[in-house]
Amino acid sequence: MALSNLDNLYRQVILDHSSHPHHHGHLENTNYDTTMFNPTCGDVLKIEVEVVDNKIKDIAFSGNGCTISQASASMMTDTVINKDVSDAIRIADTFINVIVHPGEYKGKDLSILEDAETLTGVAQFPARVKCATLAWKGLKKALLSNNGTGVVGQVVHHEDD
């Protein structure tokens, strides 16, 4: 497949997740949540997670943001649902590091990111890095805050990450 066709396919996956986000909305049973704010472009995402027996039983996000932040949140929810909390945190760390330090991951297997691997090209656009990582950092903040007990309603500003 020609590179331009592959780029078009990646763009289509991103646009599809942004236009028709998966797991968008609210959960009835939430034991972890956080709201993330990116002051650079105004993205606001609320991440809600239901964990049962150390496994992400359900996850949802809501809020407003650019195409990249909405697509990334949709892909993140697809990727971590039904995963153990420790696996979800490891996947989030991998995604964040790939976007922030792309050179360290060149040629490595990133299949654990599933569709989110299509967002790795965002690393070439520094202004979009915070948009792409907002949901993933929100997931980690929710799951790891307060020694793992979560903080319902916690708002985290994403400007210093």
Side-chain angles (χ1 to χ4, degrees):
M1 181 180 296
L3 186 58
S4 63
N5 288 342
L6 189 58
D7 285 344
N8 287 335
L9 176 64
Y10 288 166
R11 279 191 204 105
Q12 191 57 45
V13 169
I14 292 167
L15 289 173
D16 185 53
H17 272 279
S18 176
S19 300
H20 308 288
H22 305 174
H23 309 280
H24 189 267
H26 296 283
L27 300 180
E28 288 196 24
N29 298 314
T30 300
N31 42 11
Y32 298 88
D33 81 15
T34 193
T35 301
M36 298 293 285
F37 174 63
N38 180 357
T40 305
C41 62
D43 296 339
V44 177
L45 289 178
K46 181 174 184 172
I47 309 295
E48 300 175 36
V49 187
E50 179 184 3
V51 175
V52 176
D53 296 328
N54 205 39
K55 184 175 258 187
I56 296 176
K57 179 180 178 188
D58 206 356
I59 186 167
F61 77 96
S62 58
N64 300 311
C66 68
T67 298
I68 297 294
S69 73
Q70 295 293 295
S72 186
S74 176
M75 291 176 193
M76 182 269 299
T77 60
D78 281 350
T79 304
V80 301
I81 195 163
N82 297 319
K83 299 277 193 304
D84 288 337
V85 169
S86 60
D87 289 338
I89 292 168
R90 183 176 52 83
I91 293 166
D93 280 336
T94 299
F95 180 84
I96 293 163
N97 287 323
V98 166
I99 300 296
V100 176
H101 308 289
E104 295 176 20
Y105 290 86
K106 190 170 182 153
K108 292 191 178 177
D109 179 15
L110 299 175
S111 60
I112 65 166
L113 300 179
E114 299 178 10
D115 275 357
E117 187 175 355
T118 62
L119 287 168
T120 59
V122 169
Q124 300 172 44
F125 306 99
R128 292 301 195 197
V129 167
K130 288 183 181 180
C131 303
T133 59
L134 189 65
W136 300 83
K137 288 184 177 184
L139 174 69
K140 284 186 59 183
K141 297 256 186 207
L143 294 174
L144 295 173
S145 61
N146 198 22
N147 294 322
T149 61
V151 177
V152 176
Q154 175 186 29
V155 177
V156 178
H157 290 274
H158 186 51
E159 57 195 331
D160 59 343
D161 293 295

